[in-house]
């Protein structure tokens, strides 16, 4: 049985059934005109990236409509960086999943460590956010990852496993078709410190197994798992060559179209 299972995994891997994705998380950077220029530059060079690699830009809320106009009809996807955990109503300053869909988004990032750390995003809230995003036709890029203290205490498997279980185990195998996971070790974000390819692969494989435990091997094998944390043109190749790393969620390097495109060419 185990043998059959690993044969199956091998075949899925060989046939490249998982989507490869390189997504740029712009975070709170660029003014609207700067963002529009960046999107235009990414679009202009997107043809250099192999067709099987999906490029996505995740922009601040203010940029979504004009960037959607730029990307209209192209293969470059548009994502938000967050959405509200409520459907609609008196929640001043929040932006709902329905609003994002109507602005032209196809994706939203959820559970980024910066939101968990600075804005009190909990797994409970994330369940609601994922539910609303999916209900409004958005695909979700769900971020998980341990901080430095947790890594040093060798708790990274526990932490990432719990984040996956607390959020994703509330959803169905069908929902999983619309969910991408991004492993982003907090100690590697914006620090210039990247997880080694081995460190990243080890935890990606663990995340895939945690998904398989609930949804079965077929669903797990089709789930795209991205690496994020100081991913750049110089290290993307080695990271993306790992069996369970299906692309990247890129911060700083996504603010330069050339670097972002270079990363897209790194498979
Ligand atoms: P950096 O690539 O700047 O480390 O950021 C990673 C990240 O947080 C992407 O979501």
């Amino acid at each position: 049985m185990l043998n059959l299972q690993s044969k199956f995994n091998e075949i899925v891997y060989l046939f490249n059934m998982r989507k490869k994705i390189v997504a740029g998380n712009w975070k709170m950077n660029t003014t609207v005109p700067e963002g529009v220029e960046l999107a235009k530059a990414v679009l202009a060079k997107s043809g250099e990236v192999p067709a099987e690699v999906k490029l996505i830009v995740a922009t601040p809320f203010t940029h979504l409509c004009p960037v959607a106009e730029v990307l209209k009809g192209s293969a470059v996807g548009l994502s938000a960086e967050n959405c509200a955990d409520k459907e609609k109503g008196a929640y001043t300053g929040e932006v709902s999943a329905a609003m994002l869909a109507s602005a032209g988004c196809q994706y939203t990032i959820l559970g980024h460590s910066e939101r968990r750390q600075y804005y009190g995003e909990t797994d409970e809230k994330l369940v609601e956010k994922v539910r609303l995003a999916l209900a409004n036709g958005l695909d979700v890029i769900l971020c998980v990852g341990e901080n430095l203290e947790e890594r040093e205490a060798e708790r990274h498997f526990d932490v990432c496993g719990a984040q996956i279980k607390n959020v994703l185990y509330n959803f169905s195998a069908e929902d999983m078709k619309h969910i991408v996971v991004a492993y982003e070790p907090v100690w590697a974000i914006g620090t210039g410190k990247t997880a080694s390819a081995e460190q990243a692969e080890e935890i990606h494989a663990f995340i895939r197994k945690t998904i398989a435990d609930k949804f079965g091997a077929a669903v797990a094998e089709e789930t795209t798992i991205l690496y994020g944390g100081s991913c750049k043109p110089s290290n993307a190749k080695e990271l993306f060559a790992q069996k369970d790393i299906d692309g990247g969620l890129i911060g700083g390097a996504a603010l330069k179209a050339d670097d972002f495109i270079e990363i897209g060419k790194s498979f």
Side-chain angles (χ1 to χ4, degrees), residues 28-181:
M28 198 172 75
N29 291 299
T30 74
T31 61
V32 175
E34 286 165 355
V36 166
E37 284 315 302
L38 178 55
K40 282 182 183 165
V42 167
L43 180 61
K45 290 181 172 259
S46 59
E48 295 176 19
V49 171
E52 72 269 19
V53 179
K54 178 79 181 169
L55 291 179
I56 299 170
V57 294
T59 84
F61 292 140
T62 44
H63 301 36
L64 291 170
C65 286
V67 170
E69 246 344 276
V70 171
L71 301 179
K72 207 175 190 170
S74 81
V76 181
L78 179 62
S79 177
E81 300 174 10
N82 181 30
C83 80
D85 61 339
K86 302 284 193 300
E87 197 177 338
K88 63 174 173 177
Y91 302 102
T92 303
E94 289 296 303
V95 176
S96 74
M99 292 171 188
L100 297 181
S102 73
C105 276
Q106 304 97 40
Y107 302 84
T108 185
I109 296 174
L110 290 175
H112 193 281
S113 62
E114 287 148 17
R115 297 218 52 88
R116 293 179 190 258
Q117 189 179 349
Y118 307 130
Y119 300 97
E121 193 125 299
T122 59
D123 287 338
E124 293 71 42
K125 274 191 191 163
L126 282 169
V127 173
E128 275 314 290
K129 290 186 178 203
V130 172
R131 191 181 66 73
L132 287 162
L134 295 177
N136 284 282
L138 298 172
D139 281 11
V140 169
I141 302 172
L142 179 75
C143 303
V144 300
E146 80 285 354
N147 62 30
L148 184 60
E149 202 184 321
E150 292 159 343
R151 166 63 69 163
E152 283 173 347
E154 295 184 1
R155 293 186 48 231
H156 43 295
F157 292 108
D158 290 349
V159 170
C160 295
Q163 288 171 340
I164 293 284
K165 287 180 188 168
N166 292 345
V167 180
L168 293 187
Y169 278 22
N170 294 285
F171 294 91
S172 68
E174 190 55 33
D175 292 332
M176 287 301 293
K177 290 182 183 159
H178 301 282
I179 295 173
V180 169
V181 175

